[in-house]
Each structure stands twice: as C-alpha cells, then as structure tokens.
Amino acid sequence: MTGSTDQTALRDRTLHALWREGYCGFGDVTVISDGAEILKRLPRAMPRPTIHIIDWFHIAMKIQPMQQIADHLIRSRSGLLEALPSIDRDIRAVKWHLWHGRVARTIRDLERLLATLKQAQGDDKFSIARLRNLGLQLLTYVRSNRGAIVNYGKRYRAELRVATTLAESAVNSLVAKRMVKKQQMRWSLHGPHMLMQVRTAEVNGELRDRLRTQFRRPEPNVPSLFKPKPPLLRAA
C-alpha cells in the first residue's frame, strides 16, 4: 500500500478489493499478515467481524533455520552431547505450541532454550551463537504479535486458511527466476522496486494522478563560485 495510510483509505482500498472478489458486506473477514504495523491497523478500520492473524508461513520460516542448525550440531557432535537433546526438544516444542496457539508456553520454552544456549560450550561456537540469535529474534517476534497468534491446528482442521503459502511461493519463484539465476533478462535490484511502486499505485487508483504530477527538475550541481548573485538574476 502506498500513499495515505489512514484508516479510511485502508478500509476503502480493502473493501474495493473484497467487492471485486464477491464480498457482499457481511461475513467474517480474516487479515493474514507477517506482522506489519499497517496491516495490524487494518482490522480496526474494517466492518465487524474482522480478525487479524499472523501468517503461519512466516512463523515456520523463522523456526526452520533453528531446526537445521540443531540438526547440524547433532550430526557434527560438537561437544554439546549433554545439551543437544534438550535444545532439539525445546525447538520442536516451540513449534508445536505455536501451532496450537499456546503463546505463553512458547515464550517460556524459548526463554529456557536461550538460557541453555547461553551456558552451552562447544567446538562450533558460530552455530551456537547463530542459533541463539535466531531464538532471540523469534522471541521478539512472538512477543510483538502474541495477540494475533491463534490455534492454527484448529483452523486447519476446520478447513480455514492459516497461511499465504501459495502467494509467497509464487513471489519467491518469480524473484528467484528474475534476480537470482544468471540469464539475459535478469532484473536489477532497482528495477523490481520501481515496478512494484507502479503496480501498487495502479491497484490503489493513484497512477493517473501521479503521472499528472509535475516533478521539479533537480538543480544542476554548479559550484557556488560560479552561481550568479541575486542582483545579476534580477538584471537578467
């Protein structure tokens, strides 16, 4: 979303998009996001009932590298033989509790995991430090979004959406195709950013007004010694 971010503008844009998808003005609306502040404000501007939940895809992507590092430590037997079972068990418990919406228990498990990692001593200090840093990031993320973490297992069994995996995978595949792989039509870092600005303005109905805007030409970079003085400007 670009331009104005007040609640009225957010509501109008979202309702317009919902009406195009067949929304009739009643029924439950669920906002699934990664925790961005602008989307946290959206449910307050929407008709009731509207709820906001954190995308399970983003939660899972924060836990996955922690599990990978723990598996690496187990395979390498990096001197943490006593602590490794506890670390691996705590990471799996964190994911299980988050899936069932048990935020308070998740926070306790993460705090215990971080305390274990702080006292851990092993050969692979880099992996231990990396795992602890990821744990701190996840703990901050959970605390910041605890009100929007729900029982994903219950929603999944009720055939309700819990993630935007399809959209995320489509975006990731497009980015990988155009920016990561070496090919003739590879995008620059600046190109996709400008393309998204144009596309977002078009979706928000602001593109025509933006194209009509008279952009001020930048002043040439002339040294002050050669710039004409105000009297000369008036004389000219």
Side-chain angles (χ1 to χ4, degrees):
M1 297 182 180
T2 61
S4 176
T5 56
D6 61 89
Q7 291 190 351
T8 303
L10 290 176
R11 181 194 60 200
D12 293 344
R13 293 172 186 170
T14 305
L15 288 177
H16 178 68
L18 289 174
W19 285 332
R20 289 195 303 179
E21 298 298 325
Y23 179 67
C24 300
F26 57 88
D28 296 342
V29 177
T30 302
V31 178
I32 303 178
S33 79
D34 60 351
E37 289 298 326
I38 189 173
L39 294 176
K40 286 182 180 180
R41 299 198 304 266
L42 182 57
R44 296 195 294 267
M46 291 289 292
R48 301 295 180 181
T50 301
I51 63 171
H52 169 243
I53 68 173
I54 294 297
D55 192 337
W56 174 254
F57 175 84
H58 290 276
I59 295 177
M61 288 299 99
K62 293 181 182 299
I63 299 176
Q64 182 178 356
M66 297 178 63
Q67 291 180 320
Q68 292 173 343
I69 294 176
D71 292 340
H72 165 72
L73 292 173
I74 292 175
R75 290 194 304 268
S76 62
R77 296 181 176 273
S78 57
L80 293 171
L81 296 180
E82 295 182 358
L84 279 176
S86 174
I87 293 173
D88 183 66
R89 183 174 60 252
D90 286 345
I91 294 175
R92 296 180 185 277
V94 163
K95 186 174 183 179
W96 191 89
H97 289 307
L98 282 173
W99 176 252
H100 291 88
R102 300 178 180 179
V103 180
R105 184 63 182 272
T106 298
I107 293 175
R108 289 199 299 269
D109 288 345
L110 280 172
E111 290 174 344
R112 182 173 64 248
L113 172 63
L114 293 173
T116 302
L117 291 172
K118 187 176 182 180
Q119 299 175 357
Q121 299 292 332
D123 300 331
D124 197 345
K125 295 182 179 180
F126 175 80
S127 295
I128 297 173
R130 175 61 176 162
L131 182 57
R132 188 168 185 272
N133 184 47
L134 291 172
L136 285 171
Q137 293 179 15
L138 179 59
L139 179 60
T140 302
Y141 187 76
V142 171
R143 284 174 172 169
S144 301
N145 299 284
R146 62 185 307 164
I149 296 176
V150 298
N151 190 332
Y152 297 95
K154 183 178 180 180
R155 285 183 61 88
Y156 181 78
R157 290 189 295 271
E159 298 184 353
L160 298 175
R161 193 174 297 277
V162 299
T164 57
T165 308
L166 182 61
E168 293 285 349
S169 61
V171 171
N172 289 340
S173 63
L174 177 62
V175 171
K177 181 175 179 60
R178 288 296 185 183
M179 299 187 66
V180 178
K181 296 181 180 179
K182 295 181 180 179
Q183 56 184 14
Q184 292 181 348
M185 297 299 293
R186 182 175 181 269
W187 284 352
S188 65
L189 294 176
H190 182 67
H193 174 72
M194 301 306 298
L195 177 62
M196 290 304 300
Q197 294 292 321
V198 174
R199 178 57 180 160
T200 305
E202 192 274 333
V203 170
N204 291 340
E206 302 172 349
L207 183 59
R208 185 181 298 273
D209 294 336
R210 290 192 174 198
L211 292 176
R212 289 175 178 172
T213 303
Q214 295 294 330
F215 293 98
R216 180 181 178 184
R217 293 184 178 181
E219 185 178 353
N221 188 15
V222 180
S224 58
L225 179 64
F226 298 100
K227 286 185 178 180
K229 301 297 182 181
L232 294 179
L233 286 175
R234 287 197 294 270

